[in-house]
Structures are given as structure tokens and as C-alpha cells.
Amino acid sequence: MKEKVNIDEIIKKLTLKEKIGQLIQLAAFFFNPESVGEITGNLTEMGLEEEDVFRAGSVLGISGAKELKLIQSRYLEESNHDIPLVFMADIVHGYKTIFPVPLALGCSWNLEAAEKMAEISAIEASVGGVHITFSPMVDLVRDPRWGRVMESTGEDPYLNGLFAKAMVKGYQGDLKGPYNIGACVKHFAAYGAAEAGRDYNTVDMSERTLREYYLPAYKAAIDAGVMMVMTSFNTVLGVPATGNEYLMRGILRDEWGFEGTIISDWGAVNELIAHSIAEDGNEAALKAIKAGVDIEMMTPHYVHHLENLVKIGHVEERLIDDSVRRILELKEKLGLFENPYKSASEELETKLVLCDEHRNVARKIAGESIVLLENNGVLPINQNTKNIALIGPYGDEGDMIGPWHWSGRAEDSVTLLDGLKSYVGEGSIKYAKGCGIEDGNDDEFKKAIEVAKESDLIILALGEHEEMSGESGSRAYLKLPGRQEELIETILKLGKKVVVVLFSGRPLEISSFAKDVDALIQAWFPGTEGGNALADILMGVVNPSAKLTMSFPITVGQIPVYYNCYNTGRPKPFEENKERYFSQYLDIPNAPLYPFGYGLSYTNFEYSELELDKKEIVSGDTLELSVRITNAGDFEGREIVQLYIRDISGSVVRPLKELKSFKTIELKSGETETISFTIDEEMLKFHNFKNEFVYEKGKFEIMVGKNSMELLTTIFEFN
Ligand code: NOJ
């Protein structure tokens, strides 16, 4: 066996300059001899020398076994030490086999699926030479104007935490296997709360809200052993996260005991200047290192200023050593000192990347992530339906793998047209685009209407373009872009059966047509196997079971609308109330169009007999709750049974309901099952006025049901 490397010995041998080198992360083109022009330009712009490149500790945004092996070997030859580079990349929902975007994955409520997704991503990425992924992204989201909601699993802190844990486990395993990669949870913290949904915008909230809603999912990732944390671009409690000592050294390290590596987001150290907490690069470097950022991503302030800051005594060298130690430990844990090329292998790439097994899993997961929002019985499509018209910009489009597909390719994906043809054959389906996502001409439009007229059933595949969500993809209007709503209106006038399938990275504003169509499916960006998964659902081979993890607003003016909100002192007494002086809108209901937890099935699950084994408990006790669920419809199906709790009166205001548990059951038509939940005092805890995490005695309401609005309820007392 190889001897364990002695990290302290390595650090001792490094010059201060070399140590600081470990703290910069550069994009891949700096190391690629073929992108010479790009390198020189960027080196000059960043004020870096070529030697700085060969001192850098890590690289981002590159994959491919052949290329990475070349970069690593050249680096080891050129640098003055034997410390290998670590390669990081955004493998957010798949490497080349692309899975549904995380918001869709969230709607599966399937933690094993999330773990499997991460495991497969890790297999493919590791043979492609990648060592760390910048995932999971666990920012809680409430504002669909923000383009990055597609990267999150949704609006619930508990569920986001469970997904965070599952993904970390899937990527990292025990870190010993050849196909394990390190995970980096992001964006610490509360990036999802950008004001007005505008990306990179200020975040301002009370510390209690931060701790109650936003921090739990990052904490879950830390508890699951995530190796790295990425800071966010935004301000938290008045200080940008990347210069926020309270967040990084206070909460993350001291309170939560995180010992891994902290990396800034791209350029975020430099952004401390625009944020107005640093006058220049020197001060930005000083603030970031003191606050706890180990690696500066893609800006050069550490390289330019830390050496001098140490020399003049403004930064203790110990701080630099600590950061270097963490980075070297990361490399050590990943096995890079033993084998700097790790699992990079052209042969395994050919064998494993996009293999049938991975595709099949992607298809299954996509099937569990696609949400049925409306259905008057038109779905599933009758096997004998002969003339199907498939219309719309997403009908034959492979580019539905999401804005963070990174190395995934549209040409590898199965389109909806392909998927449907594999069931009904060429002859039974006709495709016409009708219009583009944002554009369209009258001829195309007319052609589509002609095709629609000749059909028995029309499927409209519509949505927003991938690039309309994701980073820097904020939108103020959330309606379907271009002429797509006009297309729906025109088609509806034909009086035929119409199914709308929506592709988007966020909940869109769809209230103008949602209730008029015969069926409505939220496909999100379903990934490489999206077309097959959708066809499975449309044809009834898969019974939809996904439930929304982010509320759909009626209109933009209702945002943010989310289920776990407070009651206010003047709650609206009932939805039809017309009296004034209640917390309500004059023109729309308070409730969203589709609430958290909502999603239909081809069958119907009925809930009854919600019972508690006792009505009172004392500290240390648990409570058993049972509920009967019957599959009262004609199809076998999977149901996600949700349990919410409300603290009826606390020392601080408490949400109307909070998801505390859920169970997934599969029932055949006519079958009934009684399921039980155990309630304990941990489920009753919250942050009080002093931000202590406590439970308080009193009455609690327990709610169980198929979504956050349709619930059976009962009450117990905690004495
Ligand atoms: C910026 C994004 O905010 C972050 O999520 C990503 O990981 C980095 N760029 C690196 O690509």
C-alpha cells in the first residue's frame, strides 16, 4: 500500500507564493495549449503570468478523459511541486445522460431517484476526468421570476434538505470508489431569495427567517459530509456572502463544524468591490480570506495581494496555511496524490457514458418528475387513437435538457415526436411546428391548424426556451413567449380534444388557458429521455405521480406565493370573501393556481380515518398517526402521502403548515392501505426570538393529504 501523504510536510516545503497559488481556481482554457489567444488575452486581463497558471490549485469547467489527462500531466511537468490539479465542473443534473432539472426531480419526491441520478452523474463524470461537481444547489425558492428556480428542488426547507443529503450521498458515496466524485453544496447562503426575482440581487431577511427556511438544506448537506461549500453572490444580513465572516466562520465552521473547503462563486471575490464593502482588489482579498473563502474562483486578487498582506501583517500566514491544508486534504481524500488521473479513461467513457442502463434510469426518473396538472379524462391516450396532431416548438425538439445541461447534448435526446412514434407508429401522428418559442409566421401557423383539423387529438408542446431560465435568466413576464398563447386559443376554437405539454425551467403564468384545455402536463426540462418519458405518460404506460414542490402563481402580481407562509392578523376568512380589510387581493384569490404538493394521477386516491393513538403527549413521548388510503380509480398508481404540522400558538409566529414527513405508496385499483407516521418533539422545533432551536408546549394541528391544500386534520396537545 502507498504511504499516506504528509500534508504538513508538503505545506512546509511550499513558498508563500506557491501556497497562494493553490487558492486560485482558473478556467480550463488557461491550461489548454490550443487556446493560446484566449490564454494570453485573459492572462493580460487578469494580470497573471504563465507561472501563475502552473501554480493554480484547481481548474473548472472542463471534462473529457483525454484532455484532462493531458492537462494534468503537463501541469505536473511544469509546476515546481508534485501537487496535482483538482478538476471541478457543473454536473448539476447529469453529465451526458441528462436527468430532469432539479426542480422536476424535486417533484418526484423520490430520494432514491435523486441518489441514483447523482451516482450515475458521478460515474459518467469521473470517467470523463472530473473530480468535483458544483452540486447540489439547495437554495430555497419562492419566486419563479428568478431563472435559477430550475436548479433547486423547491420551496420547502425539509424536502430540500432530504434531497441535498440524497445527492451528496449519490455523488460521494464513501469517496473510496473509483466513480465517486466530491460534491460542493451551493450557494451559501439564501441566493434563492433575490429581491424581485432578479438574479444577483440583494437578499435581506431576518436571521430567524434565514435559519427557519433557508439554512436547513445547506446544513443537511454538511451533515451528509459534503466536501465543499460555494458562497453565493448576494448579500446576507447586510454583508455579501463571499465576505461574510459570520456566515462562513460563525455559522458554517463554528456552529455546524464544517471542515471542508469553501470556494467563492465565479468572480464573487471581485464583486465585493461593486457590493461596496471593498475599495479595491486588495481589500476584497483581505475581506474574503478573513471571512473564510479558501478558493477564489476566476479572479486574481488572492494571487495579487495575499503575499503582501501577509508580509505587512494584515493577514496571518496561518490563515493561508489553513486554506491550503483544506485544499490538499480535499485532493488527498479524492485519491489524487495516489493517482492524479484517477478514473479518467477513454475506454470507460465509451462504455459507460450514455449507456442504456443510464438512459433507462433517466427515463424512469423523468416519468416520476412530470406533473399532471389537469385531466378531464382525455389522458391516457386511447391506444386506438389514430390521428394525433403534435404541434408546437417543443414537439420535435431535443433541446429540452435544461439550461444547466453543461456537457449534455441536445442531439442525444429523444424528442416527444420520437417518443410518441415508438408507441403509435409513423402513420398515426402528424407534426407541425406552428410557431417558434419566441417567433412565428402566419404560414407555419396555418399549416399547424390544417394538421390539427384533420386529427382526433391534439398535443401542444409549448414552453419557454432553456436559456430563458437558469443563471441570469430572470423574467418579469411569465407567460408563454411569442405566439404560443395565440396558438392555444386558435386550436381550442376547433373544438377538439387538446392536451398541452409545457416545457419550462419555472412555474409559468398559465391561468389564461390551464382550465380550458382537456389535459395539462408540466414536463419541466425532462432530460435526455424526456420524449420517451412523456410518451410513457401520455400513453398510460406510466401513471403520473409527481407533485409540485413549487407553487404556481395565478399571476406575477401574486409572487411570492408559497404554502408555508404565516397567517397574518387578518387572514382572509374564506376564498370567496368580498368584504374589505382582510389580507387579500381585490382581483384574484390568495391561493396559487396550483399549490405545493399538488399533482394528479390517472387514478384517484381517497383519504379517510385520520387517527392519533393519543391526544396528548409529554416530552420524550411519540405519537402514532394512521390514515387509510384507497385507490378508488381504475389504474394502479403511486401516491405521495404528505404530512404537515401547524403550531397553533407559539412565542413567535408560526407558519400555517410545514411539511414534516411523507410516504410513498403504490396501490392497485380498489386496494386500500393504512399507513402510519410517528410524530416526535424534534418535528415541533423552530427558532425562537433568540434564534434558539426549541419546541414549545401547546396545541398542534396535524394535517395529512394529497397536497398542501386538500388535507384531513386533527389536533393534539404537547404538555
Ligand atoms: C456561477 C454559478 O453561479 C455557479 O452555480 C456555478 O457553479 C459557477 N458559475 C461555476 O460554473
Side-chain angles (χ1 to χ4, degrees):
M1 240 188 76
K2 249 190 145 181
E3 243 177 78
K4 208 167 172 269
V5 287
N6 186 330
I7 287 175
D8 285 324
E9 281 305 310
I10 301 180
I11 296 177
K12 262 192 224 152
K13 285 190 203 138
L14 296 175
T15 63
L16 182 55
K17 226 186 196 36
E18 283 166 346
K19 287 194 251 185
I20 294 167
Q22 285 297 313
L23 314 192
I24 187 171
Q25 174 161 103
L26 293 176
F29 56 73
F30 283 103
F31 300 86
N32 182 351
E34 275 160 32
S35 44
V36 180
E38 210 173 349
I39 304 175
T40 341
N42 278 282
L43 278 179
T44 323
E45 205 179 290
M46 287 172 86
L48 294 177
E49 308 286 330
E50 215 187 329
E51 301 89 76
D52 291 316
V53 172
F54 293 104
R55 271 193 290 263
S58 56
V59 181
L60 89 153
I62 186 164
S63 66
K66 189 168 170 215
E67 200 164 359
L68 293 195
K69 283 197 278 189
L70 272 175
I71 291 178
Q72 188 74 286
S73 65
R74 179 155 170 251
Y75 176 86
L76 289 171
E77 267 164 35
E78 302 272 342
S79 68
N80 286 335
H81 51 62
D82 297 325
I83 307 171
L85 281 168
V86 49
F87 296 112
M88 309 194 189
D90 289 277
I91 319 292
V92 176
H93 52 109
Y95 175 72
K96 286 237 177 344
T97 304
I98 301 296
F99 294 83
V101 292
L103 189 55
L105 188 66
C107 296
S108 74
W109 297 55
N110 187 340
L111 305 173
E112 277 155 35
E115 190 180 327
K116 192 75 194 159
M117 178 287 289
E119 197 186 302
I120 290 178
S121 306
I123 294 174
E124 294 195 358
S126 62
V127 299
V130 176
H131 307 134
I132 301 261
T133 174
F134 295 133
S135 170
M137 185 281 212
V138 303
D139 304 327
L140 183 134
V141 290
R142 291 175 173 173
D143 192 334
R145 289 172 297 182
W146 194 50
R148 302 194 79 167
V149 301
M150 48 69 51
E151 282 181 64
S152 160
T153 44
E155 71 189 37
D156 185 71
Y158 166 72
L159 201 56
N160 287 354
L162 294 179
F163 274 108
K165 202 170 145 196
M167 287 194 228
V168 170
K169 200 165 158 218
Y171 290 128
Q172 293 190 174
D174 60 4
L175 278 173
K176 297 205 166 62
Y179 305 138
N180 294 146
I181 59 175
C184 173
V185 66
K186 65 191 188 186
H187 307 82
F188 192 66
Y191 182 33
E195 273 179 12
R198 209 180 70 217
D199 205 3
Y200 318 122
N201 203 5
T202 303
V203 169
D204 200 9
M205 64 176 68
S206 72
E207 182 161 349
R208 217 171 64 74
T209 299
L210 181 70
R211 287 181 182 271
E212 278 286 286
Y213 291 99
Y214 290 86
L215 294 189
Y218 310 106
K219 168 84 164 46
I222 306 299
D223 292 344
V226 74
M227 298 186 93
M228 290 184 70
V229 172
M230 186 188 291
T231 66
S232 58
F233 289 122
N234 54 282
T235 292
V236 182
L237 302 169
V239 179
T242 307
N244 197 320
E245 191 169 340
Y246 178 59
L247 265 190
M248 286 182 277
R249 296 204 189 269
I251 296 179
L252 196 49
R253 295 231 187 267
D254 296 347
E255 260 184 59
W256 297 353
F258 178 62
E259 290 179 349
T261 310
I262 303 179
I263 185 167
S264 80
D265 201 343
W266 181 297
V269 172
N270 184 52
E271 290 174 21
L272 298 182
I273 304 170
H275 268 301
S276 79
I277 69 153
E279 277 188 10
D280 50 26
N282 185 58
E283 200 178 1
L286 175 70
K287 291 216 162 161
I289 192 82
K290 283 199 159 172
V293 173
D294 298 316
I295 302 181
E296 179 181 9
M297 188 197 288
M298 275 308 283
T299 48
H301 301 310
Y302 278 11
V303 169
H304 289 326
H305 304 291
L306 282 186
E307 200 175 0
N308 187 46
L309 283 166
V310 169
K311 282 195 182 132
I312 60 174
H314 288 188
V315 169
E316 290 174 69
E317 190 161 352
R318 182 187 57 84
L319 279 192
I320 315 277
D321 288 354
D322 287 349
S323 291
V324 175
R325 184 170 302 107
R326 284 190 279 264
I327 295 161
L328 298 190
E329 276 168 5
L330 182 81
K331 295 181 180 185
E332 217 262 306
K333 281 191 190 137
L334 289 165
L336 296 178
F337 284 105
E338 226 166 278
N339 176 6
Y341 307 102
K342 203 156 182 214
S343 311
S345 152
E346 291 96 311
E347 199 189 324
L348 287 175
E349 273 179 322
T350 321
K351 201 167 131 205
L352 295 172
V353 171
L354 273 169
C355 64
D356 286 350
E357 192 192 327
H358 295 178
R359 278 184 169 275
N360 289 340
V361 178
R363 178 173 184 165
K364 178 150 189 297
I365 295 180
E368 291 186 357
S369 309
I370 293 164
V371 192
L372 180 66
L373 296 174
E374 300 287 344
N375 185 22
N376 63 11
V378 67
L379 291 182
I381 298 173
N382 186 315
Q383 307 275 349
N384 301 322
T385 309
K386 279 282 160 285
N387 299 312
I388 301 175
L390 176 63
I391 291 170
Y394 273 108
D396 194 20
E397 179 55 71
D399 220 348
M400 45 140 178
I401 47 180
W404 246 141
H405 56 72
W406 192 55
S407 66
R409 292 173 310 212
E411 60 267 33
D412 292 326
S413 58
V414 180
T415 71
L416 180 53
L417 182 61
D418 294 337
L420 281 168
K421 274 187 188 162
S422 70
Y423 277 103
V424 299
E426 290 266 349
S428 301
I429 186 158
K430 282 216 174 75
Y431 169 67
K433 194 168 173 191
C435 63
I437 291 172
E438 292 184 272
D439 52 13
N441 61 51
D442 290 346
D443 284 349
E444 256 185 335
F445 222 82
K446 274 194 209 131
K447 222 189 279 163
I449 309 300
E450 288 314 311
V451 170
K453 274 186 186 158
E454 288 159 22
S455 71
D456 305 324
L457 174 79
I458 303 157
I459 301 173
L460 289 175
L462 311 170
E464 59 176 4
H465 193 270
E466 289 179 341
E467 294 307 321
M468 295 175 129
S469 60
E471 186 176 350
S472 219
S474 296
R475 290 180 68 201
Y477 295 103
L478 297 184
K479 285 186 172 264
L480 280 173
R483 296 183 70 179
Q484 298 184 79
E485 284 212 12
E486 187 191 338
L487 186 65
I488 302 179
E489 267 171 45
T490 319
I491 296 272
L492 277 177
K493 284 195 191 123
L494 301 178
K496 306 210 166 207
K497 298 276 178 213
V498 178
V499 176
V500 171
V501 181
L502 286 175
F503 296 77
S504 69
R506 55 159 64 81
L508 292 170
E509 183 179 326
I510 53 175
S511 36
S512 59
F513 61 85
K515 307 283 173 185
D516 300 330
V517 297
D518 295 280
L520 180 60
I521 288 179
Q522 178 63 36
W524 306 110
F525 290 121
T528 311
E529 284 289 320
N532 279 334
L534 275 162
D536 293 340
I537 284 186
L538 289 163
M539 301 311 296
V541 171
V542 168
N543 187 353
S545 59
K547 309 254 192 181
L548 297 176
T549 54
M550 188 172 185
S551 308
F552 268 57
I554 293 177
T555 180
V556 171
Q558 204 184 25
I559 295 171
V561 58
Y562 52 95
Y563 89 94
N564 45 6
C565 56
Y566 299 132
N567 201 26
T568 80
R570 292 198 182 187
K572 195 177 184 184
F574 48 95
E575 214 37 282
E576 295 71 34
N577 174 62
K578 291 278 176 280
E579 304 233 336
R580 288 185 83 102
Y581 308 111
F582 288 102
S583 178
Q584 64 193 8
Y585 299 101
L586 295 175
D587 45 1
I588 55 162
N590 280 4
L593 183 65
Y594 301 113
F596 177 84
Y598 172 87
L600 301 175
S601 160
Y602 292 149
T603 192
N604 178 33
F605 294 100
E606 286 176 358
Y607 286 63
S608 63
E609 295 173 39
L610 178 67
E611 279 166 14
L612 287 174
D613 66 342
K614 38 188 165 328
K615 286 282 179 189
E616 280 180 30
I617 51 165
V618 293
S619 178
D621 264 4
T622 57
L623 203 65
E624 288 299 312
L625 174 141
S626 62
V627 64
R628 258 168 83 84
I629 295 146
T630 302
N631 180 346
D634 296 334
F635 295 81
E636 179 174 355
R638 166 180 176 263
E639 171 71 341
I640 299 158
V641 183
Q642 304 161 35
L643 181 141
Y644 299 86
I645 296 186
R646 177 182 184 190
D647 184 347
I648 291 175
S649 162
S651 57
V652 292
V653 291
R654 306 289 295 114
L656 278 172
K657 56 193 78 144
E658 291 172 285
L659 181 77
K660 291 291 174 181
S661 189
F662 65 92
K663 282 193 176 162
T664 303
I665 50 166
E666 289 191 25
L667 292 182
K668 297 209 169 68
S669 166
E671 217 179 347
T672 294
E673 196 175 313
T674 299
I675 60 164
S676 57
F677 291 93
T678 305
I679 316 284
D680 61 27
E681 60 201 30
E682 278 304 305
M683 289 163 131
L684 312 178
K685 283 188 172 172
F686 64 98
H687 291 89
N688 67 11
F689 196 70
K690 292 183 195 153
N691 281 321
E692 298 152 338
F693 195 51
V694 295
Y695 51 81
E696 290 175 349
K697 296 184 172 169
K699 285 203 176 93
F700 293 84
E701 189 179 0
I702 302 195
M703 295 154 266
V704 178
K706 51 175 72 172
N707 63 58
S708 63
M709 304 271 273
E710 291 175 79
L711 297 159
L712 299 177
T713 81
T714 182
I715 288 194
F716 76 93
E717 199 156 342
F718 179 45
N719 285 312

